[in-house]
Amino acid sequence: MRKKGLITIIILIAVMLLISIIFTDQLVEKGIEKTIQLVTGAKVEIDNLDLDIFALRIAWERLQIADPKEPYRNLIESGRTAFSLNLPALLRKKYVINEITVLNAQSGTSRETDGSLPKQRKKIVKRSPSKWEQVKGKITSNLEEAELFGFSVKDIPQSLNTDSLINRADLQIVENYENISSDIEWTTHKWKKYYSEFNVQEKLDSIHSQIKSIEPDNINTIDKALKEIEKVRQIQKTMDSYRNKISKKREEAEADYQRLSGFKEQYEKWLSEDYDNILRKAQLPEFSLSNASKIIFGKSVISKLDRYIEYAEIISRITGKPGEKKKKKPPRQEGQNIRFPEKQIWPTFLARKIEVSTGEERIEKQKVPYLQGKITGLTTQPRVYGKPTVFDLRGKYGGNREVLFNAVLDHTEEYFADTYSLGLRNISLKGVELEKNQYVPESIKSGFADIDIDIRNTEERMEIIFFIQGRDLEYGFGESAESDQIRATIRDIFRGLDRFNLKSTVIIKDQTYDFEITSNFDKKFSQSISTASSKKLAEIKNKIKSSLQEKADKRIADLDEEYGNVYSRYLQPILEYSKESELMREELADKLKELKDKQTEDLGKKAEDLLEDLLKKKK
Amino acid sequence: MIIFKILSKFIKALRSHDSPSQIAWGITLGTILGLTPFFTFHNFILLILIILIKVNLSAVVFSLILYGLIGYILDPVFHTIGFLLLVNVDFLRPVWTWLYNLPIAPFTRFNNTVVIGSLVFSLVLLFPHYLLFKKLVIKYRTSWNTAIQKWKITRMIQGNKLVQFYVKLRDWRG
C-alpha cells in the first residue's frame, strides 16, 4: 500500500465534500430556477434551498414563479417545500420524486421586483405559435372590423338620399326594359313583314272556298268523279304546302311567345337584385341583434381567455408533447450503445404526487387564494410514465370566494388530449375596470360573479368555453355624454341588468376558428334597439323598395301593352291558322274518301247494269 | 518535450530499484487505461488502485500514452468485438440485462460496444502482458541495458541539443 496515495485520495474526497457543501446548494438552486424559467418564460426565485447530499433530500423555504403576463405578480408562490430524489433513478440521470409536499401555495400574490426575464433569456424560451396564438390575432382584427353601429340612428335619414341612390345605381329594371322593348319591336316588324308577304287568311279562305265547291252528291259519272278526285288532290298538295309553312311559323311564334311572355317573372328577379344592390351601396347597418354581445364584449372575452390559455399552455409545456425526437446516435468512433430490457424505466423528470396544503385559519384574511389539493404524475416524458398528469386544486379566500382548478393532461398516446377546467366562485366585481368601449360601462361599482373556463385541446382541435354569471351588478358609466340614441339605449339596458350571463365558445381547427358569444344582454338589446333603429331602417328600406317597384310597374305596364299587341295581332292568329289548316286538311281527306266511295259505288252499279244487259241479250 | 520526459522517466524506471513486477504491473494497468475509453467507471477504480498499490507510475503513464494511440487505431476492432459480445452471443444476454439493470450500470458504460470490446480485449491480454513485460524488464536489466546505452539512437537522443537544453532546464528548476 502506498501511503502517499492513500493520503492523496483522502484529500481529494475531503475537497470534493467541501465543494459540495459550499456550492451544491447554489448550483442546484440555479439549476431548478433555470429549468422552470424555460417552461414559464418568467423569473423563478427559490429562497434558502437546502440539499442533503447523503439523503438526497431537497427543501426550500420559498418559491416564486412570476406571471409572464404581469411581471409584478406571481403566478405561483409557495412556502416550505420538501422532497427526496430516488437514488437508482438519479444514478441514471433521472429526477424521480415520489412525493413533494408544498405548504402555503398561493396564486396571484404581488411581487416586489420585476419578474420578467432579461431579453437574452427570452430568446431561449421562444417556441412555435400554438393553435390559440395562430387565430387570436384573426379573431381580434375581425372584431375590430365588425363595427356595431356605423353611424347613429338619428344620422340615418340625413345621410341617405334614396332617390339619388336609385338614380346613381345601374338598375336592371331600366336597362332590361330597353332590351325587352326593342325585342318586342323587332318581333312586331318580323311578323308584320311575314303577314304582308304571305297573307295566310287569304290563302286559307281560297282553299276553303275550293273545298266547298266539291260536292260529291252531284257527281254522277265516273269521269266526273275522277276529275273531282284529281282536283281534291291538287288542293291537298297546295294545302300541305301552306300547312308546312304555317307550322314552321307556329313554332317561331311559340318561341317568340316563350321569350317575350316571361318578362314579368324576370322583372321580379331584377327588382329584388336591384334592391339588394342599392342596400349594399347604401351600406345600411344590419342590426343583426344576435351578435351584439360578440361585438360589444368580444375583445374583453378574448383578452381574458388569452390570459388563461397562456397559463394552460405553460402547464402543457411541462409535460412535453408526444413524438418528440430522440437524441441522434453517437458517431461511429464512440461506439454504439446497445439497449437491454429494463425492469424499471423512469422519465427524465417525474413527480408522482405533489401534495399542496394550507392552514384553514388563514382563509378569511386573504386577498388571494391559498391552494390545496394534489397534482399527480407530473412528468416531462408522459409516454414513458404511461399515466396522464392530473391537477386537482382548490382554494378558498376572503369573502367566501373560491377557485377550483382541474386538469387532465393525457400525453401518453401518439395524439395528446388535454382538458382544463377553471372555476372562480363569488368573485367580487367591485371596482373592476372594463375594456374601453364606447358602449359598455367603464367599470362595475358593485356585484359578484361566478366564472367557468373549460378548455379541451387535442392534436387537431381546441375548444374553449367561457361562462360568466354576474349578479347584483351596478355599473359605472363615467362622465361622458350619451351622444346618440343607441348608446343611451345600451346604457339603459345595463342599468336594468342586475343579473348578467355570458357564454363564449371558441373552436379552433386547422387554423380556422368559430367564435360565438351569447348573453342575456342580447335579448334585452334586441327588444330595445329594434323598436328604435330597426324602425328607421325599415322606413328607408321600404322607401327604396316602393320607389323601385313604381319604376318597375310603369315599365311592366308599357311592355305589357306592347307585348299584348304583338300577341293579339301576330302570334295568336298564327296559332289559330295552324289549327284551321289542320281542320281543312281533315276536311279534304273526308272529301277525298267520299269521292272514292262514290266512284266505287258508281262503278259497281254500272258493272251490274252491264251484266244484266248481257244476260238479257243471251236469253 | 513531455514525450522525452516520459520516455526518460520510463528508461530511468527500468534501471530503478523498483521490482520487475511493479514495472510490469504498471505497464499492464496502463494498457487497460490506454486501450479503453478514459472516462469510465472501471478506469476510475483502476486509477484509485494505481494510486494505492505500489506499481511504477512512470510505467503506467508511458503505457497509457502508447496504448492510448494504439487503442484509437483499434477502435473499429473493439467495436466489432463489443457488438459480437453484446448482441450476437445469446448466452451472455441475461448477464448484460442483469448488469444493465444495476443502479451503477450507467457509469460503467458497459453497453457501449467500444468500451466492452476494449475492456475485454485488454483483460484477455492482462496476464500475458504482465508475464511478458516482467520477463522483458528482467532481460533489460541483465543484458540489454549496456547494449542499448551504446546504440547510436540513444546517444543521438542524449546528444541532441534540444534534449540537452531540456535536461539543463529541468536541472535548473530542480
Side-chain angles (χ1 to χ4, degrees), chain B residues 84-145:
Chain B
L84 185 87
L85 291 168
L86 290 169
V87 179
N88 294 344
V89 182
D90 288 340
F91 70 88
L92 282 176
R93 193 159 299 165
V95 180
W96 302 136
T97 309
W98 173 76
L99 270 174
Y100 195 75
N101 283 286
L102 286 180
I104 208 146
F107 299 99
T108 65
R109 290 175 63 201
F110 82 90
N111 62 321
N112 182 282
T113 51
V114 172
V115 172
I116 195 73
S118 57
L119 182 66
V120 168
F121 184 83
S122 50
L123 287 176
V124 166
L125 290 178
L126 184 75
F127 285 103
H129 241 94
Y130 167 71
L131 294 171
L132 176 73
F133 281 106
K134 192 180 173 187
K135 272 194 173 181
L136 285 174
V137 173
I138 294 166
K139 193 83 178 166
Y140 177 85
R141 286 182 176 176
T142 52
S143 342
W144 295 346
N145 184 26

Side-chain angles (χ1 to χ4, degrees), chain A residues 501-562:
Chain A
N501 62 57
L502 180 144
K503 187 183 178 187
S504 168
T505 314
V506 187
I507 296 167
I508 305 165
K509 197 181 174 188
D510 302 327
Q511 294 191 9
T512 58
Y513 71 89
D514 185 18
F515 174 50
E516 291 302 330
I517 291 183
T518 52
S519 162
N520 65 338
F521 172 85
D522 285 332
K523 201 178 168 187
K524 298 232 177 196
F525 179 73
S526 64
Q527 281 167 356
S528 307
I529 220 83
S530 60
T531 49
S533 51
S534 296
K535 209 173 175 181
K536 294 227 171 197
L537 278 173
E539 275 172 24
I540 293 166
K541 286 180 183 178
N542 282 339
K543 200 175 171 188
I544 294 169
K545 202 165 204 166
S546 57
S547 182
L548 284 175
Q549 189 70 53
E550 198 182 320
K551 279 181 187 286
D553 286 347
K554 198 182 162 197
R555 280 164 179 79
I556 289 170
D558 288 350
L559 291 174
D560 210 18
E561 195 185 335
E562 287 176 40

Side-chain angles (χ1 to χ4, degrees), chain A residues 1-16, chain B residues 47-53:
Chain A
M1 179 74 78
R2 209 195 296 263
K3 277 185 182 174
K4 278 184 184 174
L6 190 64
I7 294 163
T8 313
I9 288 170
I10 290 166
I11 290 168
L12 274 172
I13 292 169
V15 168
M16 279 168 69
Chain B
L47 276 172
I48 293 173
L49 200 70
I50 288 164
I51 294 166
L52 288 178
I53 60 172

Side-chain angles (χ1 to χ4, degrees), chain A residues 433-570:
Chain A
E433 300 284 324
L434 297 177
E435 195 84 5
K436 279 188 181 174
N437 184 316
Q438 56 176 325
Y439 299 106
V440 297
E442 284 178 4
S443 61
I444 298 173
K445 284 181 180 171
S446 64
F448 295 93
D450 292 342
I451 299 168
D452 286 284
I453 299 170
D454 292 306
I455 302 170
R456 282 181 188 82
N457 190 19
T458 60
E459 192 74 33
E460 293 171 340
R461 183 183 152 98
M462 188 178 200
E463 189 180 321
I464 307 149
I465 298 168
F466 175 85
F467 186 63
I468 180 166
Q469 265 186 308
R471 57 187 180 278
D472 308 327
L473 298 168
E474 202 184 320
Y475 306 91
F477 286 95
E479 298 300 315
S480 63
E482 290 161 6
S483 56
D484 63 53
Q485 197 183 333
I486 288 178
R487 210 176 292 184
T489 311
I490 290 173
R491 287 186 178 196
D492 283 344
I493 296 167
F494 274 113
R495 282 185 189 113
L497 204 71
D498 69 325
R499 293 184 82 85
F500 174 75
N501 62 57
L502 180 144
K503 187 183 178 187
S504 168
T505 314
V506 187
I507 296 167
I508 305 165
K509 197 181 174 188
D510 302 327
Q511 294 191 9
T512 58
Y513 71 89
D514 185 18
F515 174 50
E516 291 302 330
I517 291 183
T518 52
S519 162
N520 65 338
F521 172 85
D522 285 332
K523 201 178 168 187
K524 298 232 177 196
F525 179 73
S526 64
Q527 281 167 356
S528 307
I529 220 83
S530 60
T531 49
S533 51
S534 296
K535 209 173 175 181
K536 294 227 171 197
L537 278 173
E539 275 172 24
I540 293 166
K541 286 180 183 178
N542 282 339
K543 200 175 171 188
I544 294 169
K545 202 165 204 166
S546 57
S547 182
L548 284 175
Q549 189 70 53
E550 198 182 320
K551 279 181 187 286
D553 286 347
K554 198 182 162 197
R555 280 164 179 79
I556 289 170
D558 288 350
L559 291 174
D560 210 18
E561 195 185 335
E562 287 176 40
Y563 168 72
N565 282 336
V566 178
Y567 183 73
S568 60
R569 286 176 66 183
Y570 306 113

Side-chain angles (χ1 to χ4, degrees), chain B residues 64-93:
Chain B
L64 168 67
I65 292 167
L66 182 73
Y67 282 94
L69 292 168
I70 295 168
Y72 185 80
I73 299 159
L74 289 177
D75 262 354
V77 178
F78 297 152
H79 167 75
T80 312
I81 295 168
F83 194 84
L84 185 87
L85 291 168
L86 290 169
V87 179
N88 294 344
V89 182
D90 288 340
F91 70 88
L92 282 176
R93 193 159 299 165

